[in-house]
Each structure stands twice: as C-alpha cells, then as structure tokens.
Amino acid sequence: MKITSARVIVTCPGRNFVTLKIETDQGVHGIGDGTLNGRELSVVSYLEDHVIPCLIGMDPRRVEDIWQYLYRGAYWRRGPVTMRAIAAVDVALWDIKAKMAGMPLYQLLGGRSRDGIMVYGHANGADIDRTVAAVATYIDMGYKAIRAQSGVPGVEKAYGVSGGTLHYEPADADLPTVTGWDTRKALNHVPQLFARLRDTFGFDYHLLHDAHHRYTPQEAANLGKMLEPYQLFWLEDATPAENQEAFRLIRQHTVTPLAVGEIFNSIWDAKDLIQNQLIDYIRATIVGAGGLTHLRRIADLAGLYQIRTGCHGATDLSPVTLGTALHFDTWVPNFGIQEYMRHTEETDAVFPHDYHYKDGYLFCSEQPGHGVDIDEELAAKYPYQRAYLPVARLADGQLWNW
Ligand code: EZ4
Ligand code: CO
C-alpha cells in the first residue's frame, strides 16, 4: 500500500483552518488538522515544502515509523509548527488505518472506556450579571461543567469575553487587537464572580476558570487560595509553564486543581509537571502535541500519577481535531474532561461529521476512521484571511501575556 498524494487545504469558513488530505493507491483517504492560530501559513509551508515530498510512495500503514521519520528524521525536534505538521500526518494515517480496519478509531486505541465525553462550555459576559446569565444558558442546555469568564472593571477587553454567549473567537483582526490587563483588578474581581456563581447555582455543577497565563506563580497561588471556597474543577493556565518548576510554588499554597498544557507540543513540556505531581489535568491535544501517536504517550505518563486529561477544544481546533479527540477521550483510561467551543455553521458544513452533543456530553462517530471529512468544493469558497490573536498590554503600555 502506498501514499499517492497529499494535499494541504486552507479554508476560512469564519476562521482559518489548515487541513491535510492523504490519498492512497487503495482508494482510501485520510484527513488531518494542522491549524496553528495566527501563524497558519507556516504549517502549510512546512507540510508542502518539506513533508509531502517525503510522504509520496510511503506505506501509510506504518503510522509509528512515519511519526519517527518526521520527528527524529528532521533532526530539528519539537515546536508548534513541526508538531502540528506531524499531527496532521499522524491523524490522517490513523484515519486511513481505521477505515481499512472498518472500525471507528477508538476501537484501534483499545476500545470504549465510557459512554459519553463530559465537556465544558465557555460562558462569558461583560460583567458578573451577564456571566451568571451565560452560565444559566449552559445549564439549561444540559452542561455539567462550565468555564466562567467575566469582564474585569477597569480592564479593556479582558480574556475570554465576546459578543455572543455560545461563540468565542479571539483571532478577530487583520493585525493583532490590543487588549488590556491588570492583575490587581482581576484578583479583586474573579473571586467575586465565583462567589456569585456558587450562590446562584449551588455546588452540583463543575465550574472552571481560565487564567490564560496572566499571573506570576505567587499571584496564581493567591488566586487559587481565594478560590478554594468555590471548589473549582480546575484553574487553567495559572502561569506560563516554560519553567515547569513554577507550578511548585502554586501547588504548595493551594488545593485548587491545576490544569495546563494547551500550548504544549511535547511530552517534554509536561514531564516535570507530571512526575512531580504539580498539576491535576494535562491539556495537550491532538493537533498541538504531535497527533494521537504522541498524545497517548503523554496520557500514559500522566496516568501513572493519577493526572487526568483535559484536551484543549477551542474553535481553532478544527472539527478534525475535535472529532479525533473524541475517539481519544472515549478510550483514554485517565480521562478528565473535554473543552468544547462550538464551531460556526459554516465550519461544520465544510467539515462533515456525525459526532454530536447531548445533555452535557459529546459522542464520537461510529463510522470507520475518525469520522470527519472535508467538503473541498465548499472549502474553496472560503479563501484564507489573515487573522491574528490579540496582544495584551498593561496600563503603562508594557506588553504582557495575552
Ligand atoms: O486562547 O485557542 O482554553 N482555551 C483557550 C483558547 C485559546 C485559543 C488560542 O488560539 O485558552 O481560547
Ligand atoms: Co485556555
């Protein structure tokens, strides 16, 4: 069996997606996602100029060997561009393998561990009242877990706040939007938000909060401690994790559960965090961390320490990544939760799929493969549009972590 062609399809049905389609001499094709939000065309070049020429003629059944070929064989390891390109190939090859086997992908991973995938939604509002109303909307839709973000008085465009209740799209402009940040004001505000939420909805729902890398370790420890009475499911990305030791300080001061890893590319980004039990949830996902082949290694390492998975699932993770993550989530023994930000109707139409939401859970496809395809004719109607994530600046103009 041979790979006969591999093509990159760039489409922008409301936001940009980079998709790889691998075709074989047996008529079976596979689809993978390589989207890197705000830096999409770098992955297109990596794939078209450097990966695809090597793939033609290879045996697509050798998923592991091709992963090693692209990782070790490049000499240059890791990084968001390389690992997304590898993920796109890896997922397309798993898709082909599962289609050849006539099985949904989770069966190849080891079969079903649970019936449905608990997801969390992103409830947001310009102020606490509106965030409370947004959380109520999710509860009405059956969600068991909700992440709550609110505008912070005195902060221009705080992270996570958008116009709509169900949709949040941060890559919103042709050049980066400038947003604000003020840690003092956020530390005053966030505990008030969760006090109101518990007061209004009680303790039966899981509540989460995304700190989006804004706090220093000491500030994050302080926030975690203040949030303890509200029993969060997790505090997400409390501080940047390039220095994995940074989480030790947070850990020493709070029992608020910690989740990190949506920007991780590799098991090496998480190794010390996991082995020192500094986190509770690992947020790496398929497209960011080198595909299924690599993500399952991270999950297995985490499982040794009772650390559970919480795959990133924002709108820049295409339906291909979400659909594949649902197979991973259906199998992985140490599953925690899955992020679920809804795609637009245009996006869902470009990527036909049959995974579906019901009552707080997502259910993966039962079709052979991962169950997500691309409608190329429709995709061609939405040409690439440059779009950046925002940047954040403090009141004095200094650049901060967005
Ligand atoms: O800012 O995916 O948990 N979700 C998030 C996202 C990220 C975007 C960046 O591309 O933090 O909203
Ligand atoms: Co996040």
Side-chain angles (χ1 to χ4, degrees):
M1 188 174 181
K2 282 191 167 46
I3 294 174
T4 50
S5 91
R7 279 179 297 120
V8 180
I9 301 152
V10 181
T11 181
C12 187
R15 66 149 16 271
N16 291 311
F17 293 109
V18 174
T19 308
L20 179 68
K21 180 167 183 173
I22 295 182
E23 288 168 319
T24 68
D25 60 359
Q26 314 252 325
V28 181
H29 74 271
I31 302 286
D33 173 29
T35 306
L36 177 56
N37 205 2
R39 298 288 187 273
E40 293 86 359
L41 299 184
S42 57
V43 185
V44 176
S45 165
Y46 196 105
L47 284 166
E48 287 182 343
D49 297 329
H50 306 295
V51 170
I52 289 174
C54 307
L55 287 181
I56 306 302
M58 281 185 172
D59 182 341
R61 295 170 299 186
R62 298 181 63 162
V63 181
E64 184 67 50
D65 185 62
I66 291 176
W67 195 95
Q68 300 294 338
Y69 185 95
L70 295 175
Y71 185 81
R72 297 178 191 231
Y75 187 63
W76 313 107
R77 298 181 182 208
R78 304 162 63 180
V81 178
T82 296
M83 297 306 276
R84 272 177 175 73
I86 294 176
V89 174
D90 185 72
V91 167
L93 296 181
W94 275 105
D95 192 24
I96 290 169
K97 190 179 282 301
K99 283 174 178 164
M100 299 282 292
M103 292 180 189
L105 185 44
Y106 71 84
Q107 293 291 9
L108 295 192
L109 296 174
R112 183 177 286 283
S113 297
R114 58 194 54 77
D115 298 329
I117 305 306
M118 183 170 75
V119 297
Y120 69 88
H122 178 87
N124 72 96
D127 53 30
I128 290 181
D129 282 342
R130 277 177 270 197
T131 304
V132 170
V135 169
T137 304
Y138 279 95
I139 288 176
D140 287 345
M141 294 170 73
Y143 280 78
K144 317 292 179 236
I146 303 125
R147 184 172 73 193
Q149 309 292 140
S150 152
V152 178
V155 172
E156 183 128 9
K157 301 181 182 150
Y159 166 77
V161 181
S162 70
T165 306
L166 289 180
H167 297 283
Y168 171 63
E169 188 55 79
D172 60 359
D174 181 50
L175 286 172
T177 303
V178 180
T179 64
W181 181 249
D182 186 315
T183 298
R184 179 66 262 152
K185 292 185 167 121
L187 288 174
N188 294 346
H189 188 70
V190 175
Q192 291 181 48
L193 168 65
F194 283 90
R196 266 287 297 284
L197 290 171
R198 284 305 188 202
D199 201 39
T200 311
F201 301 109
F203 282 77
D204 281 353
Y205 301 98
H206 296 302
L207 294 179
L208 301 81
H209 182 69
D210 195 348
H212 221 256
H213 304 115
R214 302 297 169 90
Y215 302 90
T216 66
Q218 184 280 338
E219 292 160 354
N222 187 14
L223 179 61
K225 218 167 164 175
M226 288 192 288
L227 291 174
E228 279 174 11
Y230 315 117
Q231 296 281 300
L232 264 55
F233 186 93
W234 79 35
L235 176 61
E236 180 171 324
D237 291 341
T239 200
E242 286 109 320
N243 171 23
Q244 298 180 44
E245 274 292 306
F247 276 72
R248 192 181 295 280
L249 190 142
I250 308 172
R251 196 65 156 172
Q252 279 166 349
H253 290 286
T254 181
V255 295
T256 292
L258 302 172
V260 72
E262 66 183 46
I263 70 169
F264 289 1
N265 312 128
S266 154
I267 198 165
W268 298 99
D269 293 331
K271 173 180 165 286
D272 299 339
L273 288 166
I274 292 172
Q275 289 184 335
N276 296 318
Q277 303 182 67
L278 302 181
I279 56 172
D280 299 281
Y281 297 92
I282 178 71
R283 287 194 33 72
T285 193
I286 312 282
V287 64
L292 269 171
T293 295
H294 195 63
L295 186 65
R296 65 191 300 187
R297 303 221 153 98
I298 300 178
D300 280 342
L301 179 64
L304 298 181
Y305 301 93
Q306 302 190 50
I307 294 167
R308 290 178 284 175
T309 64
C311 285
H312 188 203
T315 44
D316 47 304
L317 291 326
S318 96
V320 177
T321 284
L322 180 61
T324 309
L326 294 176
H327 288 275
F328 171 81
D329 296 338
T330 295
W331 157 72
V332 72
N334 49 321
F335 172 75
I337 199 166
Q338 168 71 49
E339 179 178 5
Y340 177 41
M341 280 201 201
R342 284 157 194 267
H343 291 113
T344 59
E345 273 176 34
E346 290 78 12
T347 295
D348 281 337
V350 167
F351 295 95
H353 57 263
D354 66 353
Y355 59 75
H356 58 281
Y357 171 88
K358 188 167 183 273
D359 238 7
Y361 297 89
L362 276 170
F363 297 87
C364 76
S365 171
E366 291 291 339
Q367 302 299 316
H370 56 50
V372 187
D373 214 327
I374 184 163
D375 180 336
E376 291 192 63
E377 245 173 73
L378 197 53
K381 294 192 177 142
Y382 301 104
Y384 168 77
Q385 277 179 28
R386 191 175 66 191
Y388 284 96
L389 287 169
V391 295
R393 290 190 184 277
L394 307 181
D396 68 359
Q398 184 198 317
L399 199 84
W400 198 244
N401 312 320
W402 173 71

